[in-house]
Amino acid sequence: QPDGWYQAEDATVAQGAVESNHTGYTGSGFVNYDNVSGSYVQWSVTAAQAGPATLTFRYANGTTTGRPMDLAVNGTAVSTGHPFGGTGDWNTWQSASLTVTLKAGANTVRATATTVNGGPNVDRLELTQP
Ligand code: GCU
């Protein structure tokens, strides 16, 4: 069970739009990144304690072209060109995870598109700590 669920539609969005024109999302919608490099979603997540945490992004990519994103925690890169591959269609959501180190309390997590196609559609970010 994740320790926190953070909807993309509640996060800070730069060059993207909250939409709900596909199925299978949680909350009230998802973020459709603009089809430009540099579009991003930034969340503030709360860690119960300092240390390792798994971040899981729930996303859809209805194309057959990857939509890699740079991931940063508290302004520091934690993954460059993290893969967000095709999911088959825009109604099919998959998870992409990585382990990071968080400080206790509030942390920012930013996912920034790195290609002219923008990011995938992103539904939410989950935080799990051991
Ligand atoms: C389609 C799809 C959008 C998606 C976009 C894209 O327009 O309906 O949800 O974001 O493609 O390629 O980014």
Side-chain angles (χ1 to χ4, degrees):
Q1 287 289 90
D3 297 302
W5 273 32
Y6 299 91
Q7 295 295 339
E9 63 270 27
D10 298 332
T12 299
V13 179
Q15 300 184 91
V18 175
E19 296 181 350
S20 56
N21 59 329
H22 301 300
T23 61
Y25 56 82
T26 59
S28 58
F30 54 84
V31 170
N32 170 356
Y33 282 68
D34 288 357
N35 299 118
V36 294
S37 182
S39 46
Y40 71 80
V41 176
Q42 179 171 304
W43 290 263
S44 178
V45 304
T46 303
Q49 70 268 347
T54 300
L55 301 178
T56 300
F57 297 85
R58 188 169 188 260
Y59 74 97
N61 174 359
T63 78
T64 55
T65 302
R67 300 230 174 155
M69 295 200 287
D70 287 345
L71 307 179
V73 171
N74 298 323
T76 299
V78 292
S79 183
T80 299
H82 199 82
F84 291 83
T87 60
D89 62 59
W90 293 108
N91 306 308
T92 301
W93 303 84
Q94 291 182 6
S95 293
S97 295
L98 81 166
T99 300
V100 300
T101 302
L102 299 181
K103 60 184 180 180
N107 295 258
T108 63
V109 177
R110 185 182 291 199
T112 304
T114 62
T115 77
V116 293
N117 293 319
N121 289 348
V122 175
D123 181 33
R124 66 172 188 255
L125 171 62
E126 297 173 14
L127 168 62
T128 306
Q129 288 195 281

